[in-house]
Amino acid sequence: MAITWTDAPQERAQVNGTALEYACWGPSPDQAPTLVLLHEGLGSVAQWKDVPQALTDATGFGVFAYSRAGYGASDPVSLPRPLDYMTREAEDNLGAVMDAAGIKQAVLLGHSDGATIATLFAGSVSDMRVRGLILIAPHFFAEADGLAAIRAAGKDFVEGDLRSKLAKYHANVDVAFRGWHDAWTDPAFANWNVADAIDHLRIPVLAIQGRDDPYGTLAQIDEIETRIYSPVETLILDGCGHAPHLEQADATLAEISEFCARLWRLEQQEVAFA
């Protein structure tokens, strides 16, 4: 189903037999490039808050966000999630979502799990629509401290108020949480590593990380800088945790805006030269 470009859609998009919640901001794909937002492991469309509008205001790009299956108001999924659920999302679903949205030229902007999915897509799927990546708090391999933080979140979900907080955003809150938490805390996930996707990137990348992120260290950013063959820029934010776009919105937005402006100047030069 082709979507209607609106920030208040009346229907969900049907993609691969699944109904997905979505929203759009700013110019449509036939008028401007599109920032495609890929949420974190406990995220949804609504949890981007005012970020999408700020992005379109700052960049002039359209912005498209959707809740992956199992999140927000999208259809639920069967549990447990497979441990390679991020790879499957990249290879099986993201391209089809962009097809439904009518995306023509895109920058993928992913947060946490979403950043990993963006990298996996760009590193494994030949899709000329995608011209750049913005990776916020990406992870490519499991780290002991990050796994400990996820186990702590599991305790808070059962004993604290995390479940009630998430229930505001997810129609199937137990599916959303358990699908993420139980995959990451599976003993086999300690060996999870998809960093080889970085080796295959051939488009510009902006990587943003909070220095105090409990779910991932700067080793994740070092992995990008060590392995990548395409241009990469980084922004490391002091006094910032897992969500730079919310915790230090101004600095994050400014960096994203400059990256998009430089990227599209380069795109226009290449088109003119061709």
Side-chain angles (χ1 to χ4, degrees):
M1 178 185 99
I3 71 157
T4 301
W5 192 266
T6 171
D7 62 358
Q10 299 300 308
E11 298 179 349
R12 297 180 296 170
Q14 295 290 330
V15 178
N16 292 337
T18 300
L20 300 179
E21 172 188 33
Y22 72 91
C24 321
W25 294 260
S28 61
D30 59 349
Q31 297 173 320
T34 307
L35 282 161
V36 177
L37 306 191
L38 305 171
H39 62 72
E40 63 174 314
L42 293 177
S44 66
V45 168
Q47 285 163 271
W48 288 106
K49 300 184 184 297
D50 60 356
V51 169
Q53 186 62 55
L55 285 169
T56 193
D57 289 345
T59 65
F61 287 20
V63 176
F64 175 81
Y66 73 102
S67 298
R68 296 190 294 276
Y71 297 100
S74 295
D75 281 353
V77 296
S78 298
L79 297 181
R81 284 188 182 272
L83 300 191
D84 63 346
Y85 71 91
M86 286 177 275
T87 297
R88 296 191 188 198
E89 180 68 27
E91 295 181 351
D92 299 341
N93 296 322
L94 179 52
V97 170
M98 290 197 293
D99 290 343
I103 303 298
K104 293 178 170 57
Q105 294 177 307
V107 175
L108 303 182
L109 188 160
H111 173 221
S112 193
D113 274 18
T116 306
I117 292 166
T119 306
L120 288 164
F121 183 84
S124 63
V125 178
S126 179
D127 192 324
M128 295 301 292
R129 292 175 293 185
V130 177
R131 307 304 180 87
L133 300 180
I134 299 169
L135 309 177
I136 301 176
H139 35 247
F140 307 104
F141 49 86
E143 296 182 90
D145 288 349
L147 295 177
I150 293 170
R151 288 192 293 271
K155 183 177 181 180
D156 190 16
F157 187 80
V158 174
E159 301 177 4
D161 61 358
L162 181 58
R163 188 180 189 280
S164 63
K165 290 179 179 178
L166 291 174
K168 300 174 185 177
Y169 300 106
H170 302 286
N172 299 279
V173 65
D174 293 294
V175 169
F177 185 81
R178 289 297 170 195
W180 168 78
H181 172 274
D182 294 358
W184 277 86
T185 57
D186 186 295
F189 207 88
N191 297 318
W192 173 79
N193 190 313
V194 294
D196 58 349
I198 302 168
D199 301 341
H200 302 286
L201 298 178
R202 296 297 183 269
I203 53 178
V205 172
L206 169 62
I208 301 173
Q209 179 84 18
R211 196 177 294 276
D212 300 325
D213 186 344
Y215 294 102
T217 71
L218 295 182
Q220 306 288 340
I221 305 301
D222 292 342
E223 192 79 6
I224 300 173
E225 293 182 311
T226 298
R227 302 182 74 135
I228 199 166
Y229 288 91
S230 54
V232 61
E233 304 170 30
T234 62
L235 173 64
I236 309 302
L237 295 166
D238 294 328
C240 184
H242 189 57
H245 55 295
L246 300 176
E247 297 173 44
Q248 294 197 19
D250 290 346
T252 302
L253 181 63
E255 194 74 17
I256 291 172
S257 179
E258 291 176 8
F259 175 78
C260 289
R262 287 193 296 270
L263 179 61
W264 241 253
R265 282 198 300 269
L266 177 62
E267 286 282 328
Q268 291 169 345
Q269 290 171 2
E270 290 180 346
V271 169
F273 180 76

